[in-house]
Amino acid sequence: MDKNTIIGFVLIGAVLIGFSMYNQPSEEQVRQQREQFVKDSLAAVKKKNDAKLAEEKQAKAEEAAKVDSTALFHQALNGTANDIVLKNDKLELTLSTKGGTIKKAVIKGYTGHQLQTATTAKDKNAGDSPDLTLFDGDDQSLNFMLAAKDANIVTKDLFFTPTEQTDSTVTLTADAGAGKTLVLNYKLGNSYMLHLSFQAKGMAGIFAPNTSQMDIDWQARCRQQERGFTFENRYATLTYKEKESGTDYLSETSEKRDEPIEEALDWVAFKDQFFSSIMISKNDFAANALMTSVPQEKGSGYLKNFEAKMKTFFDPTGKTPSEFEFYFGPNDFQILKNIEEQSTFGKDLELQKLVYLGWPIVRWINRFFTIYVFDWLTKLGIPMGIVLILITLLLKVITFPLVKKSYMSSAKMRVLKPRLNEATKQFDKPEDAMQKQQAMMQEYAKYGVSPMAGCLPMLIQMPIWIAMFNFVPNAIQLRGQSFLWIDDLSTYDPIIEWGKNLWMIGDHLSLTCILFCVSNVLYSMMTMRQQKDQMVGQQADQMKMMQWMMYLMPVMFFFMFNDYSSGLNFYYFISLFFSAAIMWTLRKTTDDAKLLAILDARYKENKNNPKKMSGLAARLQAMQEQQAEMQRKREELERKRKGLGK
């Protein structure tokens, strides 16, 4: 070790020692730190003791409330749980006298898949039943809680006595003695709507004078009803309608616990892909309700655990009952829209928004076109696969003028390619790329051709594709409907299953997804060849990168759509097939020589009379001339600058 190194280490040591001494706290600072530590320690101990005392106080209060509740409802706290069935042609509900709420809901006329223990497609279909069980037993619970002066009344602990029972109505009464009762009146309509009236009679004295609300705790385990767990889970959401706004929902992918909702609510829905349980309050659910949605594991037989903790109107005098309406039924747009007419609450419920139809422009397409055409074709008794084909054909007919316009624009550019190559051959150097582009645009303008004319009509068609992307997975009419090799158009159609999830693929291969992706590759090849035929110079080289992207996109689609419904993949496959057929027909029926003659005539006319050019062609030429003038001025300034520099 040399002398300089030793001196360096000594200096570093001196700096460190000096810095430590400089930052060492004074005796006063040390004393203050010790006092603060003691204070913090005492505060922590006090906080811990306070928390423990609060817990003990709460436990004593709950125990006292339980004793008081037992004394108040000593007769209703003991009994035997019996089932009561309310039914009509569409719905069968089983109520339990223990708790007085619905324990089972069966929706008639919709196939029920027994998926909880099924492991193969054969097993999944073998246990099918003609009716669908929305929930049963512990799958769902509803609890009303009332805070009295000396008791907490919890309806789930009470046994109710049924009276005035028919197929559609029942009155359930919990007796508190001395003329005090809780009364639940149920009335099932002729559809999927159930009305509930909740009333406390003769109990005004046991509540505080300012009591005006009661608590509701509604919980449900959302069953897996369809074969495709991942796909169905995308549509299983806790959805709610804000009183002064529209509908909203908790995240369908992430876990949310006790999420506060700041606005008052008209209704809350536990929704899966095709069916919903909805609770509506006549007097609203108060602001700051707490909502929970917890996704479940694949193979559990359940999609999500839902919970809604809410408050709503309660009249302790018993003069005005608390009223609710429940909907247990399909997510059918027209049915949900008509349910509002059956409601007695006079609210703008907008239940049909449970059927998601996409963003505004897409929603309008589905709302005012797709749904009506789909319903009309469905009523004709046509197989659902044919319905999808007919809708595809109808959309192709409607958009044909745009498609033809787009194709003709491409055809014009194709037949002009030799002329453009000749007109721009002097700009083949890489540094002349901008000048070449300008020259091309000028030539296009003289021929009255707009390169953008082929893009806009195709962009207009995109909302239709997106509209069907949102409509088909929500069309309950496709559920359970078979077509050709497809067993169920509402879920995937596996050609092979292996019972174990693979990353990005899942546990199956869907045939319609493969057909869609293969047809997408072939259609991309057709369109890319057509575009390449109209490219000039370096544009053709630039197309190579785009070609790879167009070929990779179907591969990406495979990983996205392998879990999607076969109905959606089938629609896209048929749509691409018809698109390819239209493009092939237009290509065969276009006379290139005749088209070129028309363009040449227009070129001569515009050349002799430039003012004749109008619209986009004239604007393009003006833009190109302006850019050329600006470029000329820049070059002139650059030459002057270099001249001055010399």
Side-chain angles (χ1 to χ4, degrees):
M1 185 179 294
D2 59 14
K3 180 180 178 182
N4 291 334
T5 303
I6 295 173
I7 294 173
F9 277 120
V10 170
L11 291 175
I12 291 172
V15 169
L16 291 174
I17 294 171
F19 184 78
S20 300
M21 293 178 64
Y22 178 78
N23 285 279
Q24 185 175 1
S26 63
E27 293 183 2
E28 178 64 21
Q29 289 175 325
V30 171
R31 184 183 63 80
Q32 290 177 355
Q33 288 176 356
R34 288 175 179 172
E35 290 178 354
Q36 186 63 40
F37 176 77
V38 172
K39 289 180 181 179
D40 292 342
S41 300
L42 291 173
V45 172
K46 184 176 183 301
K47 184 177 180 180
K48 185 176 180 180
N49 290 336
D50 289 344
K52 186 176 181 180
L53 289 172
E55 290 178 1
E56 293 175 352
K57 184 178 180 181
Q58 178 67 20
K60 290 179 180 179
E62 290 178 356
E63 186 65 26
K66 185 175 180 181
V67 172
D68 292 335
S69 181
T70 303
L72 183 61
F73 282 98
H74 63 281
Q75 295 179 345
L77 285 169
N78 297 288
T80 302
N82 296 314
D83 292 341
I84 300 166
V85 177
L86 304 181
K87 59 183 179 180
N88 57 27
D89 294 338
K90 301 180 182 296
L91 190 62
E92 182 176 303
L93 301 174
T94 302
L95 287 74
S96 175
T97 56
K98 174 69 181 295
T101 55
I102 305 124
K103 61 177 288 189
K104 182 178 181 180
V106 176
I107 303 173
K108 298 180 181 180
Y110 291 91
T111 303
H113 303 309
Q114 304 301 320
L115 303 173
Q116 278 71 15
T117 58
T119 56
T120 67
K122 183 178 180 181
D123 294 335
K124 291 171 182 175
N125 294 329
D128 288 353
S129 59
D131 300 321
L132 180 137
T133 300
L134 188 60
F135 58 85
D136 188 12
D138 296 334
D139 287 352
Q140 188 164 169
S141 67
L142 177 61
N143 188 24
F144 298 97
M145 294 163 284
L146 303 170
K149 293 177 182 176
D150 302 315
N152 290 326
I153 303 170
V154 181
T155 59
K156 71 175 183 179
D157 297 329
L158 305 180
F159 288 87
F160 290 78
T161 302
T163 57
E164 303 177 15
Q165 183 178 351
T166 68
D167 283 345
S168 59
T169 62
V170 68
T171 298
L172 299 176
T173 305
D175 189 1
K180 299 179 178 64
T181 58
L182 282 181
V183 181
L184 307 180
N185 281 303
Y186 286 98
K187 182 178 180 181
L188 178 63
N190 56 11
S191 184
Y192 302 99
M193 185 78 84
L194 175 71
H195 185 274
L196 167 62
S197 172
F198 183 101
Q199 198 168 12
K201 295 184 177 180
M203 299 176 65
I206 71 170
F207 295 103
N210 61 346
T211 299
S212 61
Q213 288 184 328
M214 65 175 173
D215 290 281
I216 298 173
D217 186 8
W218 187 25
Q219 301 182 36
R221 300 176 70 196
C222 183
R223 284 189 174 191
Q224 180 185 347
Q225 301 286 1
E226 315 305 326
R227 182 193 298 170
F229 173 87
T230 304
F231 187 64
E232 184 183 7
N233 210 15
R234 291 188 180 100
Y235 297 90
T237 59
L238 191 157
T239 307
Y240 50 87
K241 163 69 166 58
E242 296 178 348
K243 181 175 176 59
E244 302 299 334
S245 185
T247 58
D248 204 348
Y249 59 91
L250 298 187
S251 170
E252 63 269 54
T253 56
S254 60
E255 180 178 313
K256 299 290 183 181
R257 292 185 181 272
D258 290 337
E259 187 82 5
I261 310 301
E262 297 179 355
E263 302 293 330
L265 306 176
D266 285 325
W267 52 260
V268 176
F270 296 160
K271 171 187 176 293
D272 63 31
Q273 185 178 1
F274 292 124
F275 303 94
S276 289
S277 300
I278 308 172
M279 186 177 186
I280 308 164
S281 175
K282 181 177 182 179
N283 298 99
D284 312 329
F285 296 113
N288 297 312
L290 301 178
M291 303 295 175
T292 295
S293 174
V294 181
Q296 301 300 292
E297 293 293 329
K298 185 175 183 178
S300 66
Y302 295 91
L303 304 171
K304 292 183 175 71
N305 285 350
F306 294 135
E307 183 175 11
K309 299 175 183 177
M310 306 169 287
K311 294 180 182 292
T312 192
F313 165 81
F314 172 69
D315 179 9
T317 67
K319 294 179 181 179
T320 305
S322 301
E323 295 186 66
F324 307 93
E325 288 174 336
F326 296 88
Y327 175 88
F328 303 105
N331 298 331
D332 184 295
F333 185 90
Q334 300 294 3
I335 292 175
L336 289 167
K337 183 181 176 184
N338 294 333
I339 281 294
E340 190 167 314
E341 299 175 3
Q342 301 176 26
S343 174
T344 60
F345 295 166
K347 289 187 171 187
D348 185 14
L349 296 174
E350 298 183 323
L351 293 175
Q352 68 272 16
K353 287 191 175 180
L354 284 170
V355 181
Y356 183 69
L357 299 177
W359 295 344
I361 187 170
V362 172
R363 183 167 64 245
W364 297 335
I365 294 172
N366 283 327
R367 173 69 179 82
F368 298 108
F369 172 78
T370 312
I371 287 177
Y372 287 102
V373 174
F374 190 82
D375 288 345
W376 175 65
L377 293 173
T378 302
K379 290 176 182 177
L380 297 177
I382 302 172
M384 285 299 166
I386 302 297
V387 169
L388 289 174
I389 293 174
L390 291 176
I391 288 179
T392 308
L393 277 172
L394 181 59
L395 290 172
K396 292 301 178 185
V397 169
I398 293 173
T399 58
F400 179 74
L402 298 176
V403 173
K404 185 176 181 181
K405 183 177 181 181
S406 174
Y407 172 80
M408 293 307 297
S409 176
S410 299
K412 291 173 183 177
M413 295 171 68
R414 183 183 70 247
V415 299
L416 287 175
K417 181 178 178 180
R419 306 288 176 83
L420 290 173
N421 282 331
E422 182 65 24
T424 60
K425 63 182 180 180
Q426 67 271 31
F427 303 114
D428 283 342
K429 296 179 181 179
E431 59 268 23
D432 297 333
M434 180 175 292
Q435 290 176 304
K436 184 168 187 173
Q437 184 68 21
Q438 291 174 350
M440 285 172 52
M441 296 303 292
Q442 288 175 354
E443 289 299 306
Y444 280 136
K446 291 174 183 177
Y447 282 104
V449 175
S450 170
M452 296 299 295
C455 302
L456 185 59
M458 298 306 294
L459 291 175
I460 294 174
Q461 291 186 85
M462 286 302 297
I464 296 176
W465 272 61
I466 300 172
M468 295 302 290
F469 176 83
N470 286 286
F471 173 77
V472 173
N474 288 293
I476 192 172
Q477 293 87 345
L478 296 176
R479 186 179 184 271
Q481 297 297 311
S482 61
F483 184 68
L484 299 177
W485 69 89
I486 305 170
D487 292 329
D488 187 345
L489 285 164
S490 70
T491 187
Y492 59 82
D493 56 321
I495 54 172
I496 183 173
E497 292 182 280
W498 46 81
K500 183 179 180 181
N501 272 331
L502 298 180
W503 182 65
M504 292 185 70
I505 297 178
D507 57 3
H508 66 275
L509 289 178
S510 175
L511 179 55
T512 51
C513 179
I514 294 173
L515 289 174
F516 162 47
C517 293
V518 171
S519 64
N520 204 348
V521 171
L522 296 176
Y523 184 72
S524 297
M525 291 173 63
M526 177 185 292
T527 54
M528 293 300 291
R529 185 180 295 114
Q530 177 179 306
Q531 291 178 13
K532 188 175 182 180
D533 290 342
Q534 68 192 38
M535 295 299 174
V536 179
Q538 294 179 353
Q539 290 180 335
D541 297 330
Q542 294 171 357
M543 283 295 296
K544 292 180 180 179
M545 181 60 70
M546 187 176 293
Q547 283 179 336
W548 281 109
M549 293 177 62
M550 294 296 290
Y551 295 150
L552 285 174
M553 191 175 298
V555 178
M556 296 170 58
F557 281 160
F558 170 77
F559 294 111
M560 291 174 56
F561 286 83
N562 190 44
D563 251 335
Y564 272 56
S565 71
S566 55
L568 182 64
N569 283 319
F570 180 72
Y571 164 77
Y572 283 149
F573 166 65
I574 294 297
S575 180
L576 285 169
F577 174 81
F578 284 132
S579 295
I582 291 170
M583 297 296 287
W584 182 85
T585 303
L586 288 172
R587 182 70 178 89
K588 290 297 182 181
T589 56
T590 301
D591 188 334
D592 287 1
K594 185 177 180 180
L595 180 60
L596 184 58
I598 294 172
L599 293 173
D600 283 338
R602 188 181 299 168
Y603 180 86
K604 291 178 181 178
E605 185 179 359
N606 289 334
K607 188 175 182 180
N608 296 329
N609 187 9
K611 294 183 178 179
K612 276 274 188 179
M613 287 192 294
S614 61
L616 183 59
R619 290 195 295 273
L620 285 172
Q621 184 175 16
M623 187 186 307
Q624 294 298 328
E625 291 174 353
Q626 185 179 12
Q627 290 178 348
E629 180 64 19
M630 292 175 64
Q631 180 68 20
R632 187 187 63 78
K633 289 181 178 179
R634 282 197 295 267
E635 291 174 355
E636 185 177 344
L637 288 172
E638 183 66 19
R639 285 195 298 269
K640 289 181 179 179
R641 186 183 65 80
K642 290 180 178 179
L644 290 174
K646 292 179 181 179

